[in-house]
């Protein structure tokens, strides 16, 4: 039996009996796992606040071969991201990022890069909360940037620098994104290959998200437009689905984020 002692982010809770929880964790040096935290819902539990949703926690557990469920021995809160609760859009965006990791990252995938990416995204969201009036779309845009960067780590980010079919660098403001070809197509290749047409503003948002700082959408002079955010997300969703990494448009956290966004616009 091997002990793991590593930083982790809390992705999801499910109640187990009257006093316990099964907690899904992204462990930096241990992958995405489910642990049984016995007695964690009892007042004064030894796990304390170290299993709160989205928190950064130090966990210790034993790895048992051929067992899906592991037992959590101990945990220690390192950072709670309480600031997220000051901005409901930011909180909802954090939820969509956590659910993407929970449902789109294959079990057994290497986790250190994904962990660092998710931690940075939670940090940016917490540090910019609360967003000023009308700036909520920035949080939604950051969750799209996270999705793109996650897909990059998984090796399925779209080709965005030129036409994926003929290599043309000048897309002349008229291009499409083909999930099958895995990237942008110029106007001429689109005629023969198909793919969903996308706006130049969407291409710009995707390129900035893939090649720039993660915090770029929070600091740019203006937030991206709703149309560019939704079109980017739709294109990335199609690519994730094509590669069998789930169907993010059906995720519960997405519906929560979109309902909030509608109420505020
Ligand atoms: Zn082409």
């Amino acid at each position: 039996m091997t002990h793991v002692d590593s930083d982790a982010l809390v992705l999801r809770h499910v109640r187990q009996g009257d006093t316990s929880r099964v907690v899904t964790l992204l462990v930096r040096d241990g992958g995405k796992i489910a642990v049984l935290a016995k007695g964690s819902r009892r007042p004064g539990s030894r796990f304390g606040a170290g299993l709160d949703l989205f928190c950064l926690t130090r966990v210790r557990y034993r790895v048992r071969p051929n067992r899906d469920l592991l037992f959590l021995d101990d945990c220690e809160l390192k950072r709670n991201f309480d600031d997220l609760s000051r901005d409901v859009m930011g909180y909802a965006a954090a939820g969509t990022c956590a659910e993407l990791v929970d449902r789109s990252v294959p079990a057994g995938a290497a986790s250190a890069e994904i962990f660092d990416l998710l931690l940075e995204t939670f940090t940016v969201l917490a540090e910019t909360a609360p967003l000023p009036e009308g700036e909520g779309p920035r949080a939604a845009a950051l969750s799209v940037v996270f999705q793109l960067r996650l897909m990059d780590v998984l090796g399925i980010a779209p080709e965005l620098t030129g036409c994926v079919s003929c290599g043309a660098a000048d897309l002349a403001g008229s291009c499409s994104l083909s999930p099958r070809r895995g990237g942008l197509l110029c106007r001429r290749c689109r005629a023969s290959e198909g793919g969903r047409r996308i706006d130049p503003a969407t291409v710009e948002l995707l390129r900035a998200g893939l090649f720039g700082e993660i915090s770029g959408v929070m600091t740019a002079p203006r937030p991206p437009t709703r149309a560019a955010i939704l079109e980017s997300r739709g294109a990335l969703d199609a690519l994730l689905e094509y590669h069998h990494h789930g169907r993010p448009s059906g995720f519960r956290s997405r519906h929560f984020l979109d309902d909030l966004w509608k109420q505020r616009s």
Side-chain angles (χ1 to χ4, degrees):
M1 208 174 332
T2 322
H3 279 81
V4 176
D5 187 332
S6 177
D7 285 348
L9 288 162
V10 179
L11 303 179
R12 185 159 65 103
H13 296 146
V14 177
R15 289 179 174 206
Q16 179 82 21
D18 289 336
T19 58
S20 300
R21 275 183 297 202
V22 173
V23 183
T24 306
L25 299 167
L26 181 68
V27 183
R28 192 175 191 286
D29 303 313
K32 188 180 67 178
I33 60 164
V35 291
L36 179 64
K38 286 192 89 164
S40 62
R41 289 170 55 219
R42 281 205 189 97
S45 142
R46 69 198 155 105
F47 301 115
L51 294 177
D52 287 355
L53 216 48
F54 312 146
C55 80
L56 172 63
T57 190
R58 185 85 190 169
V59 292
R60 274 177 292 280
Y61 59 92
R62 279 156 293 166
V63 175
R64 302 182 306 166
N66 308 319
R67 299 284 179 90
D68 284 343
L69 191 62
L70 306 167
F71 289 90
L72 185 65
D73 291 327
D74 201 3
C75 72
E76 189 183 339
L77 178 70
K78 291 185 76 175
R79 181 167 180 186
N80 61 19
F81 298 108
D82 271 355
D83 287 343
L84 279 173
S85 61
R86 297 194 294 156
D87 190 294
V88 69
M89 276 291 281
Y91 188 86
T96 64
C97 297
E99 190 169 10
L100 270 167
V101 173
D102 184 17
R103 298 178 65 170
S104 296
V105 173
S111 53
E113 250 188 299
I114 298 172
F115 175 93
D116 292 343
L117 177 63
L118 187 59
L119 179 59
E120 184 179 356
T121 304
F122 284 173
T123 303
V124 170
L125 284 169
E127 285 175 355
T128 48
L131 287 165
E133 186 75 25
E135 300 269 292
R138 290 186 193 271
L142 184 62
S143 69
V144 176
V145 170
F146 173 81
Q147 180 172 349
L148 176 56
R149 299 289 273 255
L150 175 66
M151 290 167 66
D152 192 32
V153 176
L154 296 174
I156 54 169
E159 167 59 49
L160 296 173
T161 48
C163 175
V164 70
S165 179
C166 73
D170 180 14
L171 300 171
S174 172
C175 59
S176 65
L177 200 144
S178 161
R180 188 173 61 81
R181 297 301 302 259
L184 296 177
L185 291 173
C186 68
R187 190 208 297 255
R188 207 174 40 191
C189 294
R190 175 159 62 95
S192 54
E193 304 243 12
R196 67 167 66 208
R197 192 187 179 308
I198 56 172
D199 195 80
T202 303
V203 176
E204 197 183 315
L205 173 58
L206 288 170
R207 283 180 177 162
L210 188 58
F211 305 123
E213 295 287 326
I214 287 179
S215 57
V217 288
M218 306 310 259
T219 54
R222 278 188 308 279
T225 64
R226 181 186 179 87
I229 297 168
L230 293 180
E231 196 172 58
S232 308
R233 201 175 70 178
L236 296 178
D237 285 356
L239 220 82
L240 267 179
E241 281 184 48
Y242 181 80
H243 290 284
H244 307 292
H245 284 276
R247 200 172 61 85
S249 59
F251 291 176
R252 204 162 63 169
S253 58
R254 272 287 184 82
H255 293 291
F256 178 55
L257 177 75
D258 288 357
D259 286 347
L260 274 174
W261 196 0
K262 254 181 236 155
Q263 285 167 24
R264 287 161 173 243
S265 54

